[in-house]
C-alpha cells in the first residue's frame, strides 16, 4: 500500500510529501525529490503562462523530449501564441504564428486546424462572447501542463498516471459488473472505505 501512495505522490509531483513519506515509512521512491521539483517547476511555468521559461526548463531536463515529440512542442508553441493574444500583443502574436507555427501547420493538417482555431481569437474584440474562448481559460494551460508533465515522466521511465487512479477505476468497474450478477458488501464511500450491506 505504501508503494501505491508513494507512486501517487511522485507522479502528481508532491515533492515535500514524498520526502516526508519516505522518512516516516521507509518507502523508497523511484525518483529523486530534486527531479520532482524540476518537473513541477516546468508545470508551474506553463500554468502561469510562462511558456518560454517552460520550454527552456524542459530542454534543461532533457532536450530529446521536445525533439522527439512534435505534437507536444506544437502545443507549447500554441500556448505561447495564446498567451500573446491574452496579453493583447497582437503584432507579436501574428508574427509568431506566421514564423513559428505556420511552417508546422504546413507539415501536419491537425496542427494547421489548431493554429487556425487559435488565430481566430484575434478576430474577436470581446473574447468573452467568442465561441472558442475556452482556449483562453486556465483549463487550457492545465491541459498543456498535464501533457508536458506526462512527457517528462515518460522520458524518466515513469508511468504518466498514478497506479492508484487505475486501481480505483478498476474497482468501480468491478463493482458495476458485480452489481448485475451478485449481492455483496459494496463500497459505498471510497474516501472512508465504508461498506454498504447487501440488500437481501
Amino acid at each position: 500500500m505504501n508503494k501505491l501512495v508513494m507512486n501517487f505522490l511522485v507522479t502528481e509531483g508532491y515533492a515535500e510529501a514524498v520526502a516526508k513519506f519516505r522518512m516516516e515509512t521507509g518507502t523508497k521512491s523511484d525518483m529523486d525529490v530534486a527531479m520532482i521539483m524540476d518537473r513541477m517547476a516546468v508545470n508551474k511555468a506553463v500554468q502561469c503562462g510562462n511558456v518560454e521559461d517552460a520550454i527552456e526548463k524542459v530542454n534543461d531536463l532533457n532536450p530529446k523530449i521536445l525533439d522527439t515529440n512534435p505534437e507536444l512542442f506544437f502545443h507549447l508553441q500554441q500556448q505561447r501564441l495564446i498567451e500573446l493574444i491574452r496579453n493583447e500583443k497582437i503584432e507579436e502574436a501574428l508574427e509568431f504564428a506566421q514564423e513559428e507555427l505556420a511552417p508546422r501547420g504546413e507539415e501536419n493538417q491537425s496542427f494547421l486546424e489548431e493554429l487556425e482555431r487559435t488565430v481566430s481569437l484575434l478576430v474577436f474584440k470581446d473574447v468573452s462572447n467568442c465561441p472558442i474562448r475556452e482556449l483562453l481559460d486556465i483549463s487550457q494551460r492545465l491541459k498543456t501542463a498535464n501533457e508536458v508533465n506526462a512527457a517528462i515522466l515518460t522520458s524518466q521511465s515513469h508511468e504518466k498516471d498514478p497506479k492508484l487512479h487505475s486501481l480505483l477505476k478498476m474497482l468501480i468497474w468491478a463493482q458495476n459488473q458485480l452489481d448485475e450478477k451478485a449481492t455483496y458488501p459494496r463500497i459505498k464511500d471510497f474516501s472512508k472505505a465504508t461498506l454498504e450491506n447487501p440488500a437481501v
Side-chain angles (χ1 to χ4, degrees), residues 175-190:
Q175 278 196 166
N176 290 337
Q177 296 298 310
L178 278 171
D179 286 346
E180 298 171 9
K181 299 174 182 164
T183 57
Y184 63 98
R186 190 176 205 289
I187 297 176
K188 180 180 175 181
D189 183 353
F190 285 97

Side-chain angles (χ1 to χ4, degrees), residues 67-84:
D67 290 344
T68 59
N69 194 335
E71 186 174 6
L72 175 63
F73 185 65
F74 177 82
H75 287 150
L76 279 167
Q77 295 290 59
Q78 178 187 27
Q79 189 63 47
R80 188 171 164 198
L81 175 61
I82 291 167
E83 298 305 330
L84 290 170

Side-chain angles (χ1 to χ4, degrees), residues 57-73:
K57 288 178 187 309
V58 169
N59 284 329
D60 288 345
L61 284 173
N62 183 348
K64 290 181 180 178
I65 293 172
L66 296 178
D67 290 344
T68 59
N69 194 335
E71 186 174 6
L72 175 63
F73 185 65

Side-chain angles (χ1 to χ4, degrees), residues 116-147:
E116 288 172 348
R117 189 167 176 258
T118 305
V119 170
S120 67
L121 286 169
L122 295 169
V123 173
F124 299 93
K125 285 187 178 186
D126 180 17
V127 290
S128 62
N129 295 321
C130 170
I132 52 170
R133 65 182 170 271
E134 74 274 359
L135 290 175
L136 294 169
D137 286 346
I138 298 302
S139 62
Q140 178 65 31
R141 284 182 180 174
L142 292 175
K143 179 180 166 188
T144 306
N146 288 337
E147 188 178 353

Side-chain angles (χ1 to χ4, degrees), residues 24 26 45 56 92 99 109 124 130 135 162 179 185 196:
E24 290 179 14
E56 189 177 307
E92 196 176 335
E99 291 177 9
Q109 183 62 33
F124 299 93
C130 170
L135 290 175
D179 286 346
E196 183 179 78

